[in-house]
Amino acid sequence: MKAVRFHETGAADVLRYEDVELPVPGAGEVRVRVAGSAYNPADGGMRGGFLPIPITLPHTPGYDVSGTVDAVGEGVTGLAAGDAVVGFLPMTADGSAAEYVVAPAEALVPAPTRIPLADAAGLPSVGLTAWQALFEAGRLEAGQRVLINGAGGPVGGYAVQLAHRAGAHVIATASPRSADAVRAAGADEVVDHTTTSLLDAVTEPVDVLLNLAPVTEEGFAALATRVRDGGVVVSTTPRVPTPEDPARGVRAVTVYLHPDADVLRRLVGLVDDGALTVTIARRVPLAELPALHAEADAGRVHGKVVVVPPAA
């Protein structure tokens, strides 16, 4: 089969589009014919060697997948050849930037039927991150106020939708490029961070501050002053400490994405009910993944991109 792998860490040019052996599913695993493999910034971090996730070289990137079950390993129940599935794969294993990938059966759930199968790859990791940040870390409830900094990105798009659906008042930051999409996703207030100081724009306290954007330690600490006493600051950017204020009862939580098939199944249900929109910026052929990594390294990738293997 065809796959994209890197045999050493480094710049995007270490990625090779090459022939590899077809993987065989072991006990508890299934083989998936890949329909879509979403690109994530962490893919570039692992390829570059600066994200400390243990992998074995050569490595195939891609930890979001959608596709069709092709073969079933020993002991697998509930999945059969021909089933359309979507999943968040173990980041330490070979991923979905290939025509086929082997996955733990427990990581896969039935794919949404409302959208193209390839596009479903854009849901798992970013949808789970948004859910875990808002409801597990932030404990967001109806009637609360949430400030989402960086709402224009893929995680932010889901976070705005989910917070709005939960009955929260959503304040979101976005650039002019993404402001309309953020507003359509359900934001009650949209702050253009390119022209307006967020500290000036947010005058009433919020219950939850969710940071999804690059921020300085000083800027983050200042933003945390807008959180009410007893509120929470949640962040998905571990390179900058998440500020807390014990004197005011403001807690800090840094989110590290973890697998959760039950929540993923729930997100798929929301997609099929029309309550959650999956937005794909573009599709890229598998052979062009090295060029996509180079674009991302240069800061030119916006929105969720899905990588598509050659047609069967």
Side-chain angles (χ1 to χ4, degrees):
M1 68 170 187
K2 289 293 186 182
V4 173
R5 302 193 298 178
F6 54 93
H7 296 247
E8 59 182 346
T9 58
D13 59 7
V14 301
L15 291 166
R16 302 180 190 174
Y17 181 59
E18 58 191 8
D19 292 311
V20 303
E21 291 294 323
L22 189 68
V24 177
E29 297 178 329
V30 301
R31 185 171 65 209
V32 176
R33 166 71 190 184
V34 176
S37 169
Y39 172 80
N40 292 289
D43 292 320
M46 287 188 284
R47 183 220 72 226
F50 50 84
L51 191 62
I53 294 176
I55 56 174
T56 300
L57 297 176
H59 178 74
T60 303
Y63 49 85
D64 282 323
V65 68
S66 60
T68 306
V69 174
D70 171 72
V72 177
E74 182 181 354
V76 173
T77 59
L79 288 174
D83 289 348
V85 293
V86 63
F88 170 49
L89 305 177
M91 296 176 73
T92 55
D94 277 335
S96 55
E99 292 183 288
Y100 294 86
V101 65
V102 164
E106 62 187 13
L108 303 173
V109 304
T113 58
R114 190 184 182 96
I115 61 175
L117 183 56
D119 292 357
L123 175 65
S125 66
V126 285
L128 286 172
T129 299
W131 181 282
Q132 290 166 13
L134 289 172
F135 304 118
E136 296 177 15
R139 303 173 191 168
L140 184 67
E141 298 178 356
Q144 291 188 325
R145 290 166 54 84
V146 57
L147 170 57
I148 302 174
N149 187 35
V155 174
Y158 288 111
V160 171
Q161 292 184 75
L162 292 170
H164 173 75
R165 183 179 178 278
H169 180 89
V170 182
I171 308 165
T173 71
S175 68
R177 181 182 60 233
S178 55
D180 287 344
V182 169
R183 194 172 287 108
D188 298 284
E189 303 176 43
V190 179
V191 179
D192 180 355
H193 63 82
T194 67
T195 61
T196 306
S197 164
L198 195 50
L199 292 174
D200 292 338
V202 181
T203 56
E204 295 182 35
V206 299
D207 299 276
V208 180
L209 163 60
L210 171 56
N211 184 66
L212 305 170
V215 64
T216 65
E217 187 170 347
E218 296 78 11
F220 203 0
L223 202 53
T225 64
R226 294 299 185 262
V227 178
R228 69 164 177 82
D229 293 0
V232 58
V233 181
V234 181
S235 179
T236 62
T237 54
R239 292 184 183 179
V240 176
T242 305
E244 61 181 349
D245 190 344
R248 297 197 300 115
V250 175
R251 60 191 180 90
V253 184
T254 303
V255 173
Y256 296 94
L257 175 63
H258 59 268
D260 193 326
D262 290 336
V263 169
L264 181 55
R265 190 175 288 107
R266 187 169 181 175
L267 293 173
V268 167
L270 292 176
V271 173
D272 278 339
D273 289 343
L276 189 64
T277 300
V278 176
T279 301
I280 303 302
R282 60 186 168 122
R283 295 182 182 180
V284 172
L286 178 61
E288 296 177 16
L289 182 57
L292 176 63
H293 272 243
E295 280 188 63
D297 289 352
R300 297 198 305 269
V301 171
H302 304 289
K304 180 55 67 176
V305 180
V306 169
V307 178
V308 181

